[in-house]
Amino acid sequence: SQQGEEDPQALSIQEGENATMNCSYKTSINNLQWYRQNSGRGLVHLILIRSNEREKHSGRLRVTLDTSKKSSSLLITASRAADTASYFCATGGSNYKLTFGKGTLLTVNP
Amino acid sequence: SAVISQKPSRDICQRGTSLTIQCQVDSQVTMMFWYRQQPGQSLTLIATANQGSEATYESGFVIDKFPISRPNLTFSTLTVSNMSPEDSSIYLCSVDTGMADTQYFGPGTRLTVL
């Protein structure tokens, strides 16, 4: 069953704007990972945040984690047309298995 | 990180036939996984491919339908047996390198069953 729920399901913005996607989950986790998928191709790993971390940065990406609310957010700053993709959160437990959310389809208009 | 390749990248198959998908990693890894992504959906874990022993299947997936091999620490295969149109999906393998729990995914195999 799906662990995470992303919102929004779809997001359309203009180039240069910031994009924020949210992920909620139900059970306790060891880590939460964000992935990008372009047009039904393979997944590209973006960032991992551990359960004892609250915020991480990587380039134009900022991820937050609130374990008390069982939620995470992914912020992409200064978006580009090349950021157009589906974004998935996935929660990891102690058994290395990942449980994926439904994903957010981000469209960045030039 | 790990570089993962999958073969074939896509295929169109007839109902009732079987297809074997290969996953090759450029380094030895302990954990390998197979996922399915149905059209417009998210990823669902099929099974964990265990080296030297039978794969561990998730609820709703069985060995007769999705037999998996893992002969060594760099290679695994997933067979989709007796296919029906409902099996049309992207099948992805992933690996956990043991480095900080990050999982890396292959490029996927897009399967269409007619």
Side-chain angles (χ1 to χ4, degrees):
Chain A
S1 61
Q2 301 281 325
Q3 161 81 306
E5 294 278 342
E6 281 101 328
D7 78 88
Q9 291 188 349
L11 179 62
S12 182
I13 60 174
Q14 295 300 122
E15 211 165 22
E17 294 180 340
N18 296 342
T20 299
M21 288 160 271
N22 303 296
C23 170
S24 61
Y25 56 93
K26 299 175 182 175
T27 63
S28 61
I29 62 171
N30 280 5
N31 61 71
L32 188 145
Q33 307 185 39
W34 284 91
Y35 290 86
R36 184 184 73 225
Q37 185 179 42
N38 292 84
S39 299
R41 299 178 64 85
L43 271 68
V44 174
H45 186 268
L46 296 177
I47 198 164
L48 178 151
I49 187 166
R50 298 194 179 282
S51 59
N52 61 353
E53 298 175 312
R54 293 297 166 259
E55 186 172 314
K56 282 189 84 168
H57 296 257
S58 177
R60 293 185 295 114
L61 306 180
R62 172 177 169 254
V63 169
T64 62
L65 179 64
D66 186 336
T67 53
S68 66
K69 295 181 179 178
K70 291 186 168 58
S71 68
S72 173
S73 67
L74 170 67
L75 169 67
I76 303 174
T77 60
S79 63
R80 307 166 182 168
D83 294 328
T84 294
S86 292
Y87 291 81
F88 294 92
C89 69
T91 53
S94 58
N95 56 11
Y96 299 98
K97 298 178 187 177
L98 293 182
T99 305
F100 281 80
K102 295 181 179 179
T104 294
L105 177 59
L106 172 66
T107 301
V108 181
N109 301 299
Chain B
S1 65
V3 177
I4 306 166
S5 61
Q6 284 185 233
K7 289 181 183 179
S9 59
R10 58 176 60 223
D11 207 341
I12 300 173
C13 300
Q14 295 297 318
R15 181 194 299 259
T17 63
S18 298
L19 176 72
T20 295
I21 303 168
Q22 299 179 4
C23 178
Q24 179 75 54
V25 191
D26 68 340
S27 59
Q28 293 186 340
V29 295
T30 305
M31 310 293 289
M32 291 183 78
F33 306 91
W34 286 98
Y35 289 81
R36 180 178 73 182
Q37 185 178 27
Q38 294 177 300
Q41 303 296 314
S42 187
L43 281 76
T44 302
L45 180 63
I46 297 172
T48 303
N50 301 309
Q51 194 268 329
S53 64
E54 199 169 278
T56 305
Y57 290 84
E58 297 300 304
S59 176
F61 297 96
V62 295
I63 188 171
D64 290 347
K65 176 66 176 177
F66 297 102
I68 288 171
S69 79
R70 177 96 190 266
N72 57 51
L73 294 176
T74 64
F75 186 78
S76 178
T77 67
L78 168 75
T79 299
V80 186
S81 304
N82 188 24
M83 289 184 285
S84 67
E86 292 70 34
D87 294 319
S88 297
S89 297
I90 299 173
Y91 292 87
L92 302 104
C93 67
S94 75
V95 304
D96 188 309
T97 63
M99 302 276 290
D101 297 327
T102 299
Q103 275 197 31
Y104 298 97
F105 282 78
T109 296
R110 183 183 291 271
L111 171 63
T112 302
V113 184
L114 302 177

